[in-house]
Amino acid sequence: MDQNRLLKGIGASPGVTIGKVVIVDHGHPDFSHYRLSSENEIREEIACLHKALNESKEQLIKAKEEVGKRNVQEAKSIIDTHILILQDKILINSAVEKIKNEQVDAAWALKSTMQELKKNVADLSDEYMQERTSDIDYIEKRILRNLAGKKPEIISKAGEKIIIVANDLSPADTANLNVQEVLGFVTESGGKTSHTAIMARALKIPSVVGLKNVMLAAKNGDTLIIDGIHGVVIINPDAETLRKYQQKKDQHEEFERRLLKYKDLASESTDGFRMNLMANIEIVEEVASVVDYGAEGIGLFRTEFLYINKHELPTEGELFTIFKNAAEKISPRPLTIRTLDIGGDKFISHVDVADEMNPVMGLRAIRFCLKEVPIFKTQLRAILRASAFGKVKIMFPMISCVEEVRQIKKIMEDVKKELQKEKKEFDPDLEIGIMVEVPSSATIADLLAKEVQFFSIGTNDLIQYLLAIDRVNEQVSYLYEPLHPAVLRLLRRIIDSAHDNGIPVAMCGEMAGEPIYIPILLGLGIDELSMNPIAILAAKKVLRSLEFKQCKMVVDKLFEFSTAAEIKDFLLKETKKYYKNLNLTSTENQLKL
Ligand code: PEP
Ligand code: MG
């Protein structure tokens, strides 16, 4: 066994954790198929098939109990559908007949039966039934895995503390993880701002992504250390390494405890410049805890996960209940709900979207919503109705021109009229804002500022589009540079345009949560930062050590440099000069507190 095998990837969610590996392989297990040559072999194969079917059923029943405990109604009904398919007599008989008549092994018989079933379903004109092919796939994989003697997937591993190692975890996979059981996760693909990484941070699970070949390097049951701060993974550490990392883990936990003293202090600079520090959330369950992290409200509620995880599109009633719940829980603090940002690296299975060469530049976010107006309207109705229960704001993603905003406003007016007619309450003064995350909207920020009540800068996408770097492509992630002079120039332009037009501007991309950028954002005069809740207290600590006037001067100087490296050098030197006890490189900052 290789000891101390160190792999370097991208730290996607901070923290140190140590646990046992569970490989999650979403592919079909490999089988070498063979012809059966005796009655005995036929009987054995049929017995194997029944055993795998029974195991699959038991796993699903157990999984149903698990999700029942967590009260996830939709998941329960999906599992029920899967159990029904699994028990289908025609299906079982067909596979058994194939083993008998064609003398093929159980895996072959099963695959061929499932293939026929999928074909029959796909031929049906009923759209709902056509979507069932994904359920059949899911069941097929489960039975095949059991036939191959492979371990069942994560959800049924109750009670065990594990580290998931996978090629990739879709946002839906990540949302389905049982946080109590999963200590961390490591994926081969993805970058720091891929939605999977964001989800990991939301769930407070240390993780490293973009670790090529980790599926080959690690085996089930290996001990694995994740250092999510430095993006390091160590497989089968020796005793000394284990001790060192245990110490790091304790240090990190101590760091988090110490930060707690900032929770009730004002978020302002030493000379009284206030900056709202808000939370980004992905799932409604997070609302309850964000105030404990010192959040002054929710600056970004990403709603796409309400769609991705569903078997069907959520209804207005379901969305309303969730938004109302969130608005009430966070009230009187504001809740900024972002409308559906689907596409790019986030897809919903039950909506037909044509394959695109460049999905991140395709029918994404607001473009999708303006095409699928009924889906958009359902969400707007739910948000508007929830606005009667707290301080709700609406924000639209991926705006690239003024026309889109005007189109949205027209739809909003229609929706408001409908609600009024139905005597459904909403906040008539509800503010609307846009995400500034496409270079074109940043460039015409002065024009857009006249159309809306606030801006929120989405640096994850803005940097991706401005620097032409796919945010989930680990090959180019080294080029992802918030200190690029082009980024800083564009940020200044957006912030100044907003202020010239009397509207506030927030930032809700990952850049907002990194201590090193806070002096710049303060110097540029941004009004609000919205970030992963776990980053808020450290941001507050940094903000409370800085002087606005000083940062403004430093920022003016930064515009004289031509490269990100020069800018970083100068920034660190200046902050060290004025603020002796503040170290802005996040790692050192973690340990120096
Ligand atoms: C962004 O692009 O910066 C952003 C906050 O939105 P998302 O990461 O959801 O695309
Ligand atoms: Mg975005």
Side-chain angles (χ1 to χ4, degrees):
M1 177 175 73
D2 267 3
Q3 262 205 330
N4 265 356
R5 173 123 190 233
L6 188 143
L7 301 175
K8 184 101 181 69
I10 300 159
S13 176
V16 177
T17 191
I18 304 165
K20 293 280 177 208
V21 169
V22 169
I23 307 261
V24 176
D25 183 356
H26 288 299
H28 275 84
D30 286 335
F31 286 93
S32 43
H33 297 297
Y34 47 89
R35 292 258 167 215
L36 310 175
S37 52
S38 68
E39 281 301 313
N40 217 2
E41 279 184 356
I42 290 176
R43 260 197 310 279
E44 269 172 25
E45 275 315 287
I46 293 174
C48 282
L49 178 68
H50 282 300
K51 183 164 168 276
L53 287 167
N54 281 338
E55 279 170 357
S56 304
K57 190 170 142 198
E58 274 166 27
Q59 286 156 8
L60 287 180
I61 291 172
K62 221 155 121 200
K64 197 172 120 180
E65 281 166 17
E66 275 300 315
V67 293
K69 276 187 227 152
R70 284 186 277 153
N71 214 0
V72 193
Q73 201 49 48
E74 313 75 31
K76 267 169 100 174
S77 52
I78 298 171
I79 297 172
D80 274 333
T81 316
H82 292 170
I83 295 176
L84 277 180
I85 300 176
L86 194 62
Q87 289 175 321
D88 189 291
K89 284 264 177 322
I90 302 176
L91 189 137
I92 299 171
N93 288 343
S94 158
V96 169
E97 288 307 308
K98 279 184 200 295
I99 298 175
K100 278 189 194 157
N101 302 337
E102 297 171 29
Q103 301 182 347
V104 291
D105 63 278
W108 182 330
L110 184 82
K111 279 192 211 168
S112 140
T113 305
M114 291 307 220
Q115 198 58 41
E116 284 165 12
L117 184 63
K118 270 184 275 187
K119 191 174 172 318
N120 289 344
V121 172
D123 284 347
L124 294 176
S125 57
D126 185 329
E127 224 175 273
Y128 176 80
M129 279 317 288
Q130 284 181 2
E131 284 160 15
R132 299 289 72 78
T133 54
S134 64
D135 291 312
I136 301 170
D137 264 338
Y138 182 86
I139 294 293
E140 180 181 346
K141 269 189 204 159
R142 179 176 291 277
I143 305 171
L144 287 174
R145 292 178 71 78
N146 281 313
L147 266 176
K150 293 213 175 182
K151 293 214 170 133
E153 56 183 283
I154 328 155
I155 200 160
S156 43
K157 299 197 120 307
E160 210 184 332
K161 302 276 189 203
I162 52 170
I163 288 179
I164 305 287
V165 175
N167 174 269
D168 189 20
L169 290 167
S170 70
D173 293 330
T174 326
N176 282 337
L177 295 180
N178 186 346
V179 187
Q180 269 80 48
E181 293 165 10
V182 179
L183 293 173
F185 72 77
V186 175
T187 60
E188 291 191 328
S189 48
K192 198 167 180 150
T193 54
S194 64
H195 288 89
T196 313
I198 291 167
M199 199 73 181
R201 289 193 286 280
L203 295 169
K204 286 186 249 146
I205 298 176
S207 76
V208 176
V209 299
L211 258 187
K212 277 214 183 58
N213 297 330
V214 65
M215 300 269 285
L216 290 174
K219 290 190 303 304
N220 277 321
D222 280 353
T223 300
L224 189 141
I225 296 173
I226 295 182
D227 175 351
I229 307 161
H230 298 96
V232 165
V233 157
I234 300 170
I235 305 167
N236 292 322
D238 60 20
E240 175 54 22
T241 311
L242 208 52
R243 195 194 54 74
K244 203 172 94 196
Y245 274 91
Q246 189 60 51
Q247 207 177 359
K248 277 196 183 188
K249 180 171 182 285
D250 296 344
Q251 258 173 352
H252 184 77
E253 283 162 10
E254 172 62 16
F255 158 78
E256 292 196 321
R257 263 192 301 278
R258 285 211 218 155
L259 270 182
L260 277 180
K261 74 169 190 241
Y262 289 92
K263 190 178 143 225
D264 298 316
L265 301 179
S267 27
E268 59 185 16
S269 63
T270 53
D271 51 348
F273 185 100
R274 269 202 58 79
M275 214 164 163
N276 298 329
L277 297 184
M278 315 284 273
N280 290 354
I281 63 164
E282 283 52 57
I283 42 178
V284 70
E285 284 77 9
E286 289 179 89
V287 180
S289 64
V290 296
V291 177
D292 291 338
Y293 286 109
E296 292 165 281
I298 289 166
L300 167 64
F301 181 3
R302 290 184 167 95
T303 56
E304 39 282 6
F305 297 100
L306 303 172
Y307 293 72
I308 291 170
N309 267 345
K310 292 280 176 112
H311 206 36
E312 274 161 23
L313 286 171
T315 62
E316 178 186 326
E318 283 164 351
L319 292 173
F320 167 64
T321 308
I322 291 166
F323 298 149
K324 170 174 177 274
N325 198 332
E328 282 175 338
K329 278 214 177 98
I330 202 75
S331 174
R333 301 172 191 87
L335 165 71
T336 307
I337 303 176
R338 181 178 73 183
T339 58
L340 183 58
D341 182 1
I342 213 70
D345 64 339
K346 302 172 281 195
F347 295 102
I348 27 182
S349 52
H350 39 269
V351 176
D352 255 347
V353 188
D355 278 350
E356 296 179 314
M357 282 279 276
N358 278 314
V360 285
M361 295 205 259
L363 192 63
R364 199 191 139 180
I366 201 64
R367 302 168 182 184
F368 172 85
C369 285
L370 290 176
K371 181 159 176 280
E372 303 286 342
V373 176
I375 296 178
F376 190 37
K377 272 194 167 176
T378 303
Q379 190 178 35
L380 289 178
R381 282 177 62 96
I383 300 174
L384 273 163
R385 285 174 58 202
S387 71
F389 299 87
K391 174 120 190 62
V392 174
K393 303 181 191 188
I394 306 190
M395 174 156 87
F396 302 99
M398 237 196 134
I399 297 295
S400 61
C401 57
V402 168
E403 291 88 326
E404 280 165 346
V405 179
R406 296 199 176 146
Q407 220 177 324
I408 292 166
K409 287 205 278 197
K410 163 101 190 36
I411 296 173
M412 286 275 291
E413 281 319 305
D414 292 347
V415 170
K416 282 183 181 174
K417 274 192 205 128
E418 279 168 30
L419 290 175
Q420 264 159 354
K421 232 193 246 154
E422 295 165 30
K423 302 221 170 344
K424 297 216 161 88
E425 282 190 30
F426 62 89
D427 174 5
D429 302 318
L430 171 133
E431 289 181 12
I432 65 162
I434 57 163
M435 300 262 314
V436 181
E437 53 181 347
V438 176
S440 62
S441 66
T443 315
I444 57 161
D446 54 329
L447 304 176
L448 285 163
K450 295 183 175 57
E451 302 281 333
V452 294
Q453 280 127 341
F454 65 94
F455 280 168
S456 189
I457 307 174
T459 47
N460 305 342
D461 278 312
L462 186 62
I463 297 174
Q464 151 168 276
Y465 295 125
L466 183 64
L467 305 184
I469 297 158
D470 178 355
R471 64 194 256 193
V472 297
N473 181 343
E474 63 276 8
Q475 308 259 26
V476 291
S477 59
Y478 72 97
L479 286 170
Y480 191 89
E481 181 49 84
L483 294 180
H484 191 299
V487 176
L488 297 189
R489 276 165 173 69
L490 210 53
L491 290 182
R492 184 168 62 178
R493 183 184 182 95
I494 302 166
I495 296 167
D496 289 350
S497 301
H499 290 164
D500 289 348
N501 286 281
I503 65 164
V505 53
M507 176 179 285
C508 63
E510 297 299 289
M511 184 178 180
E514 297 273 352
I516 189 167
Y517 307 125
I518 292 177
I520 302 181
L521 300 173
L522 175 64
L524 288 171
I526 207 158
D527 303 282
E528 181 176 305
L529 298 179
S530 192
M531 62 195 81
N532 189 282
I534 53 179
I536 292 175
L537 291 178
K540 201 193 276 191
K541 178 197 178 311
V542 174
L543 176 63
R544 288 182 58 86
S545 331
L546 298 169
E547 195 194 21
F548 172 57
K549 274 202 300 241
Q550 193 82 59
C551 289
K552 212 162 161 342
M553 269 157 46
V554 173
V555 166
D556 283 342
K557 279 260 179 228
L558 292 183
F559 284 92
E560 292 171 14
F561 297 101
S562 321
T563 70
E566 289 165 9
I567 289 172
K568 189 171 178 186
D569 257 15
F570 182 77
L571 177 70
L572 291 178
K573 228 173 39 228
E574 289 299 290
T575 42
K576 256 197 197 124
K577 190 158 89 196
Y578 295 114
Y579 313 107
K580 298 220 163 22
N581 294 324
L582 191 69
N583 201 323
L584 294 171
T585 43
S586 48
T587 349
E588 284 160 86
N589 199 37
Q590 308 247 3
L591 304 175
K592 282 244 165 96
L593 274 177

